[in-house]
Amino acid sequence: MLALLAGCAGGPISLPGMGDVTAVPEGPVGIESEQRRLARYFDGTPVVFEMEGEGRMRVEVPLRYSFEPGRWAVKPPLGAVLDKLAQSQRLQSTRFVITAPADKPSGRRLAEDRAASTRDYLIAQGIAAIRFTSVAGDTGADAVEIRVSER
């Protein structure tokens, strides 16, 4: 189970199995090395960080850890992933594509709201709005997917 342990306000957030990897490199870092670092950080959790060809990283967080049924507010486990992703990419020039699923009977509008909520969360963490090339609703997957690319 993906339990969230939060310290005091603004303190570290961790998920079981994440290890002691807390430092985030400063300045531009290759997306492949960041994918490996983030994959190690989230090892033992259901979160996936993988490369999808040259210069593209896919991040996948299962729906049950991302949103409550029928809601679009980011749950703390997804927030913990987005926090680390934002720390990792804040000083980069990468682009983001976000997709989010709806609950099976809820439909496209909920999926779009979830994707927008994910984008807004990353913007609040310091990722410039101009870096989002697409924010879309349901793609048939049962997870939030955030694709990060160098182009």
Side-chain angles (χ1 to χ4, degrees), residues 68-146:
E68 293 294 338
R71 307 282 183 187
W72 60 86
V74 170
K75 285 176 67 172
L78 175 58
V81 173
L82 297 176
D83 289 344
K84 286 298 175 193
L85 182 61
Q87 287 176 349
S88 166
Q89 297 302 304
R90 194 173 294 127
L91 299 176
Q92 310 302 322
S93 60
T94 52
R95 300 282 187 192
F96 293 79
V97 172
I98 299 173
T99 59
D103 302 329
K104 297 303 178 204
S106 296
R108 184 180 175 111
R109 182 66 189 171
L110 178 60
E112 290 170 355
D113 289 344
R114 286 175 170 177
S117 180
T118 302
R119 176 204 57 215
D120 294 347
Y121 190 100
L122 286 166
I123 290 170
Q125 296 303 311
I127 303 297
I130 196 165
R131 292 173 61 190
F132 293 88
T133 59
S134 176
V135 178
D138 207 342
T139 59
D142 195 26
V144 173
E145 291 190 8
I146 304 122

